[in-house]
Amino acid sequence: MTNIYAITVGLLCVFSLNLSCKKESNMTENEVDKNNSIIEKHDINRIEPINWWVGFKDSSLQLLVHHPNISKWTPEISYHGVSIEKVNQADSPNYLFIDLNISETTKAGKFNIAFKQENHDDLVYTYELKSREKNPEDYVGFNSSDAIYLITPDRFSNGNPTNDNNKTLRETTIDRTDDYARHGGDIQGIINHLNYIDDLGFTAIWSCPLLTNDMFQGSYHGYAITDYYQVDPRYGTLEDYKTLSSKMSEKGMKLIMDQVANHCGLEHWWMKDLPFKDWINYQENYEKNRDDWSGDKSITTNHRRTVNQDMYASKKDKKNMNVGWFVSAMPDLNQRNPFMAKYTIQNSIWWIETVNLGGIRQDTYPYPDKHFMSTWAGAIMHEYPNFNIVGEEWSLNPLIVGYWQDGANNRDGYKSNLKSPMDFPMQRLIVEALNEEESWDTGFVKIYEGLANDFHYANPQDFMIFSDNHDMSRIFTQLKGDVTNTKMALSYVLTLPRIPQIYYGTEILMHDFDNPGDHGLIRSDFPGGWANDTVNAFTGEGLTDEQKDMQLFLKNMLNYRKHSKAIHEGKTIHFAPEQGVYVMFRVFEDETVVHILNKNEEPTQLDLHRFEEMGLTEKTLVNVITDAKVVWKDSLLLNEKGSTILSTKL
C-alpha cells in the first residue's frame, strides 16, 4: 500500500498550478483591503471545511473541493497571507484537494477562489477566514472536577416538534412505540431542560452524535454520519447547537461532542463518488458489490482489539481488526490515506471552534489506524493544550486500556496523545462486586483490587468512569433491580479518582428489564420530554417514591461533589474489605471524604481504630446525604446496607 501512495502522490502534484497561484496570492495587504468588496458567489457544489480561522499554530489548510470535472480547472486566490502550496488531483475527476498556507499576518475576511479553464467562464467560490473568538488556552476540557450527563438526544426531550419530520431525508417516520424508530428528541429539548441538569449537579453534557444520519432506518442513534459538517435537521440547526453551547457556558457547563473517526454511514454523500481508490477500507469489495450490497457482502472487523498491543499478533488479524468494517452499513474510513487523515483532523478542529467545545468523545477508539489516532489527538492537543478527549476502548483488561493513555510506558514506544480512556474494567468490577456474595475473592474485593490496578495507569484521575452508557444495560438492570446496590454503585463512581459520567434517566431508575441489553430499550424516552407524557421526571409528577428518592440521592451527591477538592484532586487511601464493609478515603488539605460501602443487612459496628492513620479521631463529620453529624471515635454504627458518605467539610 505504501508504494501505491508514493505513486499516487507523485502523480497528484500540479506544479505549474502552484506557481501561478502563489504568484497571484502575493498582493500587498493594502491592495487586498482596497479590493475586499468582493461579490460573493458559490458556483462550486461543495468545499470543506466550509470556513476556517486565522491564528492557528498549524498554518496549513487543505480544502476538499467536489464539483463535476473540477480536476480540469485551475484554482487561484488573491488574498494577502493566503497562498496555494499544492493542488492535488484525485482518482475521481470530480475532486481537488487544495493545500493552502495561511500566514501569521493574515487578516480575517472573505475572498474568492477562482477556478479557471480555457474557453470557460470562471467558477467562483467565496471562502471565509474568521477571527477566533477566544484564546486556544481558554478551551478548557472536562476533568476530574466535572460530572458528565450522557444524553441520547432523540430520546431525551422533544423541544421543537416542527423539526420531527424532514422530507428531504430518507427516514421520515416518528414512532415512539418503536424502539428503533425516531422519537423526536432534539437540541431544543436539551436547551429547555438545562436548569434541570444543572440543578442535579452536572457540570458537563455529552450528547450522542448530532450530525446528519441520512440512513433509511435506525438513524436516531447518530453513529452513521452522512455529512460531517451538518447538524441533522431533525435535531435542529447549527445555530441551535451554538445556542446550547452558549447557554451551557453561561452556567459554567462544558459541551462534549461525540465524534466518529472510524466509519461513516453508507449513505454518506461521498459514497456515490469516492475521491480515491483507497478512501475507504475494502473499497474494491464494496464497489464490486454496491448494486447488491448486503451484510454478507461486507468484510467486517474481527473486533480483536488486542492486536494493537499484541507482540505475537498475526498480520492477518491486525489487518482485519483495523481495516474491516464495523458493520455493513458503516464504511470503514481509511486514515492511512493522507487526505482522509487531514480531513478528519480539520473536521474535529472546526467543531471545537464553531461550537466552543469543552471536550470530544471519540467513538470506537482502537479500531482506526492507531498511528493516525495518535496524530489526530496530538494535532488537537497541540492547538488546544488545556483541552480533553476521551476515547472509547471497550476492553476489560486494564493493561489494554492503559496502553491508550498519554504518558503510558508502552514497550513498543507508542504515544497516544489521548488524556482520557474510558474505564470499562472498573465498570465491570463494580457490577460484579455488588452482585456477588462477600468472600475472600468475591464481592467488594473486586473493586478494591481493581482500584489497586491504578499503578499501571499514567494518570488514573483522567480516566472516565461510568455506571452504564447508551450501549449497555442500564445499571439498575445490571444490578438486578436492587435500589440500594444502585446507590452504592453511583456513590462509588462519584467518589473515585476519576471523571464520572452518568447516563440520562439513571436518576429515576430507568431500566431495560423487558429485554435486557436491547439498545432501543436502553435508550428509552425520558418521561416528561414529550408534551403528552403522563409522568414528568423534570417536575417529579408521577414518579414513584423510589424514583424521587434516587433523584434526590444523586442530586445531593453531585452537588456536594461539585465543590469537593478532596474528590476532584485529593489523595486516595482505601482499606481492604472486611466483614462486608469497604472503606475509601479521599483527602485534600483539611478536607477528608469518607466513603463506606456496607453489604450487611443487620446493624453493624464499624471499628474506627483500624483507620487511625487517617487522623480523624474526635473530629466531627457530616453525612453528605442526610446532613446528620457524627463524631469519629471508637466505632460507627451502620444501621443498614448501603453507602455512607461522610465529610469533614461541615
Side-chain angles (χ1 to χ4, degrees):
M1 190 166 286
T2 302
N3 290 335
I4 294 173
Y5 287 138
I7 294 169
T8 303
V9 172
L11 293 173
L12 297 180
C13 299
V14 188
F15 294 108
S16 60
L17 296 181
N18 298 339
L19 291 172
S20 64
C21 295
K22 281 189 178 182
K23 182 178 179 181
E24 289 295 326
S25 66
N26 285 333
M27 294 179 68
T28 68
E29 193 170 341
N30 288 335
E31 287 174 323
V32 171
D33 288 339
K34 288 179 182 177
N35 294 282
N36 207 24
S37 57
I38 61 172
I39 298 174
E40 290 197 33
K41 298 185 71 175
H42 294 89
D43 296 336
I44 302 298
N45 284 353
R46 184 183 293 267
I47 291 185
E48 294 177 345
I50 58 180
N51 67 270
W52 203 242
W53 294 264
V54 296
F56 283 116
K57 295 175 186 176
D58 183 354
S59 62
S60 68
L61 172 64
Q62 186 174 89
L63 300 180
L64 177 156
V65 182
H66 186 232
H67 192 82
N69 291 310
I70 193 63
S71 62
K72 296 181 179 179
W73 299 73
T74 302
E76 293 185 2
I77 295 173
S78 294
Y79 191 77
H80 179 75
V82 179
S83 59
I84 296 178
E85 300 295 301
K86 185 185 291 186
V87 178
N88 307 282
Q89 293 183 344
D91 295 322
S92 166
N94 304 320
Y95 287 88
L96 285 178
F97 289 80
I98 307 173
D99 291 338
L100 303 182
N101 183 270
I102 303 167
S103 75
E104 291 182 3
T105 61
T106 307
K107 288 185 176 181
K110 295 181 180 180
F111 58 88
N112 283 334
I113 307 173
F115 294 83
K116 297 178 177 293
Q117 185 180 175
E118 190 174 352
N119 300 322
H120 288 78
D121 292 336
D122 290 355
L123 297 176
V124 177
Y125 190 92
T126 304
Y127 199 77
E128 183 176 11
L129 293 175
K130 298 182 177 182
S131 296
R132 300 177 73 181
E133 294 187 359
K134 65 181 188 180
N135 294 325
E137 294 80 9
D138 294 334
Y139 286 86
V140 178
F142 57 91
N143 54 48
S144 58
S145 70
D146 289 302
I148 300 165
Y149 195 60
L150 168 59
I151 293 172
T152 298
D154 182 65
R155 306 300 169 84
F156 185 65
S157 176
N158 189 351
N160 181 10
T162 64
N163 63 26
D164 287 356
N165 292 305
N166 189 297
K167 299 301 181 183
T168 67
L169 301 178
R170 290 173 173 84
E171 187 174 24
T172 60
T173 304
I174 294 290
D175 184 358
R176 291 183 67 196
T177 66
D178 182 348
D179 287 337
Y180 287 87
R182 297 194 77 94
H183 291 188
D186 50 31
I187 296 172
Q188 189 60 50
I190 301 174
I191 293 171
N192 290 349
H193 298 294
L194 282 180
N195 285 342
Y196 168 81
I197 300 169
D198 182 37
D199 288 345
L200 276 177
F202 290 100
T203 62
I205 294 174
W206 154 25
S207 164
C208 292
L210 290 162
L211 303 189
T212 297
N213 273 231
D214 191 9
M215 303 291 284
F216 286 100
Q217 58 187 14
S219 64
Y220 80 92
H221 82 329
Y223 292 92
I225 295 169
T226 57
D227 191 325
Y228 281 95
Y229 282 94
Q230 183 185 62
V231 172
D232 195 305
R234 293 163 295 193
Y235 288 139
T237 65
L238 179 58
E239 289 306 312
D240 292 333
Y241 203 3
K242 290 179 180 179
T243 298
L244 171 63
S245 179
S246 64
K247 288 187 176 296
M248 287 178 62
S249 293
E250 290 171 6
K251 294 179 176 293
M253 302 174 76
K254 300 168 185 174
L255 176 62
I256 301 169
M257 184 178 185
D258 204 334
Q259 297 188 351
V260 189
N262 181 64
H263 50 263
C264 65
L266 193 63
E267 302 302 325
H268 192 289
W269 63 265
W270 60 41
M271 294 302 294
K272 308 297 185 286
D273 181 20
L274 291 160
F276 293 97
K277 291 183 174 64
D278 61 351
W279 191 248
I280 61 172
N281 292 316
Y282 288 121
Q283 186 166 322
E284 184 178 358
N285 175 67
Y286 169 70
E287 292 180 329
K288 182 175 67 176
N289 295 289
R290 72 194 309 167
D291 294 334
D292 187 31
W293 189 250
S294 58
D296 60 347
K297 303 283 177 61
S298 175
I299 303 173
T300 53
T301 176
N302 57 19
H303 298 285
R304 299 300 180 187
R305 296 181 296 276
T306 54
V307 299
N308 286 301
Q309 298 89 358
D310 184 1
M311 65 177 69
Y312 309 123
S314 66
K315 291 180 181 178
K316 184 176 179 62
D317 285 346
K318 286 183 177 181
K319 179 180 178 181
N320 188 246
M321 163 61 196
N322 296 123
V323 178
W325 290 26
F326 199 76
V327 295
S328 61
M330 295 177 178
D332 207 65
L333 304 177
N334 178 23
Q335 300 86 13
R336 290 171 296 280
N337 178 303
F339 301 99
M340 170 63 79
K342 187 74 170 176
Y343 181 93
T344 305
I345 292 168
Q346 289 181 165
N347 181 255
S348 293
I349 291 173
W350 190 88
W351 282 107
I352 293 170
E353 291 283 334
T354 299
V355 293
N356 185 26
L357 292 180
I360 291 171
R361 182 264 185 182
Q362 184 60 251
D363 188 58
T364 53
Y365 202 86
Y367 285 82
D369 179 83
K370 70 178 185 180
H371 300 293
F372 163 74
M373 294 310 295
S374 172
T375 301
W376 172 81
I380 292 170
M381 297 308 297
H382 176 66
E383 293 290 350
Y384 308 96
N386 298 320
F387 198 65
N388 201 4
I389 303 166
V390 60
E392 179 199 31
E393 187 1 327
W394 196 330
S395 291
L396 304 179
N397 183 344
L399 300 180
I400 298 296
V401 178
Y403 175 89
W404 294 100
Q405 188 175 40
D406 188 44
N409 185 23
N410 294 321
R411 291 182 63 185
D412 64 0
Y414 182 70
K415 177 178 171 57
S416 73
N417 294 307
L418 175 73
K419 284 183 70 174
S420 296
M422 297 180 76
D423 200 349
F424 282 92
M426 182 58 82
Q427 192 279 335
R428 172 63 65 88
L429 291 174
I430 290 171
V431 173
E432 290 179 355
L434 290 167
N435 279 336
E436 293 175 352
E437 294 293 328
E438 288 297 301
S439 72
W440 173 255
D441 59 356
T442 62
F444 285 145
V445 70
K446 291 286 185 71
I447 50 178
Y448 172 74
E449 293 182 347
L451 190 58
N453 285 331
D454 277 12
F455 78 91
H456 172 66
Y457 298 145
N459 295 290
Q461 73 280 1
D462 289 332
F463 269 66
M464 180 180 286
I465 185 59
F466 51 97
S467 53
D468 58 14
N469 64 26
H470 58 296
D471 286 328
M472 61 171 63
S473 273
R474 293 273 182 172
I475 186 60
F476 191 46
T477 303
Q478 293 186 56
L479 295 176
K480 305 175 183 179
D482 189 313
V483 175
T484 301
N485 281 352
T486 302
K487 285 183 177 180
M488 285 199 281
L490 294 172
S491 64
Y492 191 60
V493 162
L494 292 172
T495 52
L496 280 172
R498 295 287 192 277
I499 304 167
Q501 167 253 297
I502 305 293
Y503 194 30
Y504 81 98
T506 299
E507 70 270 27
I508 55 165
L509 300 171
M510 284 177 65
H511 59 80
D512 52 303
F513 291 127
D514 291 343
N515 189 12
D518 180 75
H519 281 194
L521 187 57
I522 291 166
R523 304 160 185 166
S524 294
D525 293 349
F526 191 79
W530 280 255
N532 297 319
D533 287 356
T534 55
V535 177
N536 190 332
F538 297 116
T539 65
E541 182 181 358
L543 293 181
T544 66
D545 289 341
E546 276 190 338
Q547 288 176 313
K548 290 178 180 178
D549 179 64
M550 179 59 79
Q551 208 173 34
L552 181 60
F553 175 82
L554 255 183
K555 182 176 182 178
N556 287 336
M557 274 295 308
L558 286 163
N559 278 286
Y560 179 82
R561 187 189 192 284
K562 186 184 291 187
H563 305 288
S564 173
K565 287 283 189 180
I567 295 176
H568 298 169
E569 52 189 297
K571 180 180 180 181
T572 304
I573 301 169
H574 65 162
F575 291 74
E578 286 186 359
Q579 299 178 333
V581 180
Y582 169 47
V583 185
M584 177 179 69
F585 296 80
R586 303 296 312 283
V587 184
F588 183 83
E589 295 178 351
D590 61 348
E591 180 191 6
T592 298
V593 174
V594 187
H595 186 255
I596 304 169
L597 295 176
N598 171 35
K599 278 193 184 175
N600 295 287
E601 302 283 354
E602 300 299 323
T604 300
Q605 288 285 350
L606 180 64
D607 183 1
L608 299 184
H609 294 102
R610 184 184 177 208
F611 314 109
E612 184 176 354
E613 67 187 80
M614 301 310 303
L616 295 179
T617 304
E618 302 289 350
K619 288 190 177 180
T620 300
L621 291 84
V622 64
N623 188 308
V624 169
I625 304 301
T626 66
D627 287 332
K629 292 180 180 178
V630 299
V631 177
W632 192 271
K633 182 180 180 181
D634 296 332
S635 66
L636 179 67
L637 177 63
L638 304 176
N639 285 307
E640 56 188 5
K641 174 184 173 182
S643 61
T644 302
I645 305 98
L646 304 174
S647 174
T648 57
K649 191 176 177 181
L650 301 180

